[in-house]
Amino acid sequence: MKYIDHGAGGDAGCMKLVEGPAPQPGPGQILIEVVCAGVNRPDVLQRWGRYPPPPDASPVLGLEVAGRVAAVGAGVTDWKVGAGVTALTPGGGYAEYCVAAAGHALPIPPGMDFATAAALPETWFTVWANLVDLGRLKRGERLLVHGGSSGIGLVAIQLAKHLGVECIVTVGNEEKAAFCLAAGATHAINYRTTDFADAVKTLTAGAGVDVILDMVGAPYLQRNLGALRRDGRLVIVAFLEGSKTEADLMPIMLKRLTVTGSTMRPRTTAEKTAIRDALAANIWPALAQGRLLPHLFARFPLAQAAEAHRLMESSRHIGKIVLEIGKP
């Protein structure tokens, strides 16, 4: 099969299209003939050597794919060869064939193309696990999402709308602000021209928000704590601007705040399967009705994976970037 090799890692130019043996599914796994693969920020971190794959995972980049089931491993009964599938993977997505746990795969909703389906797993698994499971987000609450125009951010906006939650986002320019508002955000704050903590205070008449989804990290910690209302929850999913800072933790005690966060990749097979089951029950029916669809900003052939990564690192995109690999 053809796949992207990033060698010892480094800038985007280190990625090369090479050929090698295709993987084979083990017990409880399926082999997917990949048509499209999603590009995500953790792929960039792995390329730089900052997000190593689990010991039993493929070293090839790529955490989500869509394609057709090519083979099934021992014990797999819920997937048949030829079925259209989209799956969360621990690695291996930038390739013509990829192995995934059968319990981490979902059917492609009727009428959806492979590129759109490939943009679903990583963001929806991440947002559901962090906002619903950890953040305990529920109807009638207020949510603040940093990086509202990212793949994660736009899914968070959609989930908020789906749950009946008021959603405030931060973005880097007015074009992204307008896009987020059109997607369902209640308010969009340009963090380059406005202090988001002051804006949140004004927008909520001083009450604050119930949940914050943060991917910026250290520079935002103190202001995040200040923007939360009593019993608020801060959920951290990335550290784009660093993980170390000095902060006054008094608001945590005074307002009974919860500060938490997670990564998806190290979770157990059973934990990811539980998230898959929740998505199948709560989100996939809406996708089948043509709602909650991702926004595809750009598509690149597999051989141009380096260009896809350069776009990701530039932060010029809105929504998802996808690699086109096999025949649709």
Side-chain angles (χ1 to χ4, degrees), residues 24-32 68-83 99-100 102:
Q24 297 301 314
Q29 296 180 328
I30 59 174
L31 178 67
I32 300 171
R68 305 177 189 88
V69 177
V72 298
V76 176
T77 59
D78 50 346
W79 290 104
K80 303 298 182 183
V81 172
V99 166

Side-chain angles (χ1 to χ4, degrees), residues 88 104 125 264-265 267-276:
L88 184 75
H104 303 167
F125 271 73
M264 185 57 60
R265 209 173 195 179
R267 290 173 183 256
T268 67
T269 298
E271 288 171 335
K272 294 176 187 176
T273 299
I275 299 169
R276 188 282 307 264

Side-chain angles (χ1 to χ4, degrees), residues 253-270:
M253 295 178 64
L254 296 180
K255 295 192 286 185
R256 300 195 310 237
L257 304 180
T258 298
V259 178
T260 185
S262 72
T263 56
M264 185 57 60
R265 209 173 195 179
R267 290 173 183 256
T268 67
T269 298

